[in-house]
Amino acid sequence: MTTSPEAIRRAADLLFEAGTSGVPVAPIRDLLEAGDVAAAYAVQEINTRRALDAGRRLVGRKIGLTSLAVQKQLGVDQPDYGMLFADMARPEALDVSLADVMQPKVEAEIAFVLGRDLDGEQLTVADLFRAIDYAVPAIEIVGSRVAKWDIRITDTIADNASSGLYVLGSRPVRLGDFDPRLCGMVMEKAGEPVSVGAGAACMGSPLNATLWLAQVMAKAGYPMRAGDTILSGALGPMVPVAPGDVFDVAIEGLGSVRAAFSKE
């Protein structure tokens, strides 16, 4: 069975209202047919169109569920995606307000910035090599408009892949100057390691995840364009955020990035 248009619209309205009010809602999965991923993306699309119609600028995409363990937990066999808008970017030098993201957690990722369009469904890794201008370390500040992070696959897809905000590092690195697959990652909070991982934890390589995304986005009608930012997936476990927290991420060969949060 497929989910009705009325149920899809209702789920989109609930998530939109939660994002506007700052009050999380109950899981929306019960409004959709069980496992109806297409309906969940239809929910996401409604709120993407709302954002674009309101003047928000689409500047990239994010990949979620790149960990095989998390995919197994949610009962899926592929990652998901969400949209990145310009107002989601935060600079390293300023504190992130906790009021700007709901139920925040942080993940360390490699971000790729494109120098050429990626607009075909039959792309190869070689096409990625030509298209990627540079990479930087990134901290994705994921958030959920679903209360208590009580999510399943349809909840997170509908909720723009649980997108919140993101912080990019300030030293661009060419793709040939580091190894996206073998680079190690350490995230520290107050000098203590809280998450560790490596590029291989992200679908075998962040480039694999990015290739999947580029192909899927071309098919979905949102092809990747020059200048777009791609958050390619978590390199280690995500970590909850508390007021006043400061997180430092170091990725081998790529450099470091910091995200600091306000104390209230």
Side-chain angles (χ1 to χ4, degrees):
M1 295 183 65
T2 57
T3 304
S4 70
E6 294 78 15
I8 290 172
R9 171 62 67 172
R10 177 59 178 157
D13 289 345
L14 287 171
L15 290 170
F16 180 78
E17 291 163 7
T20 301
S21 68
V23 179
V25 295
I28 56 89
R29 56 183 174 268
D30 292 339
L31 292 171
L32 312 179
E33 293 294 330
D36 194 346
V37 168
Y41 277 118
V43 172
Q44 184 188 128
E45 171 66 9
I46 289 172
N47 285 331
T48 295
R49 296 311 314 177
R50 278 175 164 154
L52 293 172
D53 290 345
R56 297 178 70 191
R57 185 167 71 95
L58 188 63
V59 296
R61 318 288 187 276
K62 64 153 285 184
I63 311 170
L65 306 181
T66 52
S67 162
L68 294 178
V70 175
Q71 288 182 16
K72 185 176 181 180
Q73 178 185 359
L74 295 182
V76 295
D77 60 0
Q78 63 179 6
D80 67 353
Y81 64 80
M83 306 295 170
L84 298 180
F85 295 95
D87 56 12
M88 295 166 62
R90 294 293 184 274
E92 279 193 279
L94 301 176
D95 284 357
V96 176
S97 172
L98 292 174
D100 291 343
V101 60
M102 298 174 66
Q103 306 180 96
K105 300 182 181 185
V106 291
E107 296 178 335
E109 309 197 8
I110 295 173
F112 298 112
V113 178
L114 299 181
R116 297 185 181 184
D117 294 350
L118 281 173
D119 55 2
E121 295 180 28
Q122 299 185 38
L123 297 165
T124 69
V125 172
D127 294 320
L128 290 185
F129 293 158
R130 286 192 295 269
I132 292 171
D133 191 10
Y134 60 86
V136 289
I139 295 176
E140 183 183 2
I141 306 163
V142 293
S144 182
R145 281 135 296 256
V146 177
K148 300 179 181 179
W149 277 92
D150 180 10
I151 61 171
R152 300 293 184 269
I153 182 62
T154 48
D155 295 300
T156 186
I157 289 174
D159 190 21
N160 198 29
S162 302
S163 295
L165 309 171
Y166 64 96
V167 179
L168 300 183
S170 56
R171 187 175 69 90
V173 176
R174 297 295 181 184
L175 192 58
D177 292 338
F178 78 108
D179 190 330
R181 185 175 67 88
L182 297 180
C183 61
M185 179 280 296
V186 178
M187 177 190 288
E188 295 183 346
K189 182 176 74 172
E192 295 294 325
V194 290
S195 180
V196 297
C202 181
M203 293 179 63
S205 169
L207 290 174
N208 295 340
T210 301
L211 179 60
W212 174 88
L213 178 69
Q215 293 169 333
V216 169
M217 295 316 304
K219 187 179 297 185
Y222 288 101
M224 307 295 297
R225 299 301 187 192
D228 280 349
T229 297
I230 299 171
L231 296 182
S232 62
L235 304 185
M238 64 182 178
V239 180
V241 173
D245 279 348
V246 178
F247 296 92
D248 289 286
V249 168
I251 300 177
E252 183 182 2
L254 195 56
S256 62
V257 60
R258 167 176 287 192
F261 292 85
S262 60
K263 294 183 178 180
E264 57 183 39

